[in-house]
Amino acid sequence: MSLEMTMSQPLSRESRGFPDYELPRLVRLTDNLHGAAFFLMKLLPARHMLDRAAADGRLKPGGTICETTSGTFGLALAMLAAVRGYRLILVSDPAIDEHLHKRLLELGVTLEIVETPYEIGGFQTARLDRLRAALEANPGSFCPSQYGNADNPRAYAEVAEQIAERLGHVDCLVGTVGSGGSMSGIARFLRHLNPDLHVIGVDTPNSVVFGQPDGKRLLRGLGNSLVPPNVDHRQFDEVHWVGAAEAFLATRRLHQHHALYQGGTSGAAYLVADWWARTHPDRKVVTLFPDEGHRYVATIYNDDWLAALPGWTGVLPEAPQPVAHPSDVRPSWSSFRWDRRMLDEVLAAGTPVAHDLAEAA
Amino acid sequence: MPGDVISRFASVRLGTRGTQQKEHGFGQVNGHHGEILQGIFPDDAGRLHRGLVTLPCNIVSSTAVFRPAPGNLVTVPDDKLKAAEAARLTLDSLGLHDQGGHLTVESTIPVGLGMGSSTADVVAAIRAVADAHGAALGADEVARLAVRAETASDSIMHGDLAVLFAQREGNVLEHLGPALPPLEVLSVNTAPGALVDTVKQPPADYDEWEIQAFRPLRGMLRRAIRIGDAALLGRVATASARISQRHLPKPAFEEINAIATSAGALGIQVAHSGTVVGLLFDPRNPATVRRVAEAAAKLDDIGLPPALHFRTDAAEVRHVA
Ligand SMILES: Cc1ncc(COP(=O)(O)O)c(C=O)c1O
């Protein structure tokens, strides 16, 4: 679509949405650490993707949206579909949270639960096949595909605007990476104003996003079993892998010390950002807290559930363990100098730990 | 005839807000040095507009004198076609369709560098015509007439007010504050001798990432103005200049930027539809005198001796040490 056509399109604020829910509240945690606490971060990219699709005709008024997700992106789509009058088909698997399931049904979503994983490719491939079938069965339907849709990272210009307006110059951005939209998007926008911005991506062991082998993960929302095209690896100076137990404990600490009741990925981001802010007291740090804690009452905010976790110690490490290659990552908090490289480059070369992060600090 | 009704109505309207016609009307306006920011911005309703934030340059200006007379409108020099058009539109908007007169326009603003010479002539002419008829036109009215006379116009009719101005519509998208934080500017003409017709150029065809990227620039600009932070202003200007470089590239852009960085400038700023580039310094910093001299020497070395040196909050020329 040409620019002049884009400019003459009717815009988002004219269709219903949740503008005051999309942006985070900025909270100062320490002298140099600021948290961007979202209600539901995915509302922003979901709304932007739907707006753009509606503007260029990929999504018709009253049309059908199909997507595979069992997380917060599905909830955001469901909220928007409900108020904008779209039909929404979500493909998920039996691991979907029971309360989220009920909430999606209440919002009028058609939920397709894939019951059996494929022998090769597991649930992920089985879900993608079911999604393809749903798209074929509903000609003209729109699939937002958050992993590859460039409107996902571009949506975050509004968060970058808010950060630039409220905090001015920022030295370091820390956040978790799932689809890659939030961190790749905000990093690129803020770096346009500050080429020296230090960007730290937070992943979890057994996620392939930054080069770990795929495996079972207890910490959800960040990490992935495939490498989403929306992860712009060259934006990252550092990558940390945070284990589930540490992330959950840090989530509780974020609540205890700062009264922010957020989800598990917020805890993972907080753990890393707080460490970096402490070791760089003269630099301004912003970190992203993607969702609230209410969905995790029975888990992260339940002491008995936490105590039953495998390898639970109840103690938070003070600092990460630097590693020389993503394949050296252990089940607990590790860090690696990524140096704004492509994934292939990093996997081929690693980074000698001699120049490790402690030294860079 | 409907025309009579309109002109009678207009003259009544004129009568309520002006005094009588004077022998001479006078109009003046300062030039600018390109923009701090130019791009695409949403209005309050979310609709996108082309917009810009001008960097004032008060050491150059256009002046116009208008002597009303019945009959033709004569403009001197006679190649100031847009100023003549603006004078005509202003007379018409005052209901004075049969009125003519003698318009003289003089300017110290260099032509074709993106320093607002064309808009300045237009605005000076509008003000002179209005003044001659005792009509006090507000900046918004002047802007609307200017855009009609020349399609796209700069925001100089707003003076030092910091406004995000829709240059093709003539209205203010956002009032940012009473003024930009003061800057000391070292000006380079990157293409001496090459005149750019700043109005004839096609508007930049920004891509979807760029359209979004203007948002954080606008956010940082608001903060820079609110807290008077010249360093943030420099960051916004440099970022906008980088996007402009993809659409109207300035020769030696990277070299100039490197000189700015090594001399400790706050950033660089460009005329988004012209050839001048400004190195921005903080006038409140005592190191600026030395830094400006250092940057000027290095610019000289690459064959781009600075042509101007001025402060945005002052009207006198400064001399490069
Ligand atoms: C709770 C939570 N945290 C973090 C993320 C990661 O964000 P992104 O997909 O922008 O990388 C997600 C993504 O779904 C999420 O649901």
Side-chain angles (χ1 to χ4, degrees), chain B residues 204-264:
Chain B
D205 192 17
Y206 301 110
D207 69 24
E208 297 225 20
W209 185 82
E210 290 170 332
I211 294 173
Q212 291 291 99
F214 290 121
R215 285 177 179 271
L217 272 59
R218 182 182 187 176
M220 188 169 276
L221 179 65
R222 288 189 188 114
R223 181 173 181 85
I225 294 169
R226 192 170 67 238
I227 68 173
D229 188 328
L232 290 182
L233 196 62
R235 289 187 176 279
V236 173
T238 307
S240 185
R242 282 216 169 279
I243 293 180
S244 172
Q245 191 61 10
R246 285 200 37 210
H247 301 278
L248 182 69
K250 306 285 180 286
F253 180 86
E254 293 302 338
E255 289 93 323
I256 296 169
N257 194 33
I259 289 171
T261 307
S262 77

Side-chain angles (χ1 to χ4, degrees), chain A residues 4 11 154 161 165-166 192, chain B residues 46 50 212 222-223 239:
Chain A
E4 298 312 319
L11 271 153
R154 283 198 292 253
E161 175 181 358
E165 181 170 349
R166 292 277 303 281
H192 190 54
Chain B
R50 291 182 185 274
Q212 291 291 99
R222 288 189 188 114
R223 181 173 181 85

Side-chain angles (χ1 to χ4, degrees), chain A residues 72-129:
Chain A
T72 55
F73 185 56
L75 179 57
L77 285 177
M79 291 171 69
L80 287 158
V83 298
R84 291 186 172 185
Y86 297 119
R87 192 160 80 96
L88 176 62
I89 300 172
L90 288 181
V91 178
S92 192
D93 59 45
I96 188 170
D97 175 82
E98 172 198 344
H99 300 287
L100 178 62
H101 190 150
K102 284 188 191 151
R103 201 168 158 195
L104 294 174
L105 293 179
E106 175 116 325
L107 287 166
V109 175
T110 305
L111 255 185
E112 296 203 5
I113 307 289
V114 173
E115 296 295 347
T116 40
Y118 284 3
E119 231 165 84
I120 299 163
F123 272 118
Q124 185 112 6
T125 313
R127 280 167 50 169
L128 285 173
D129 268 0

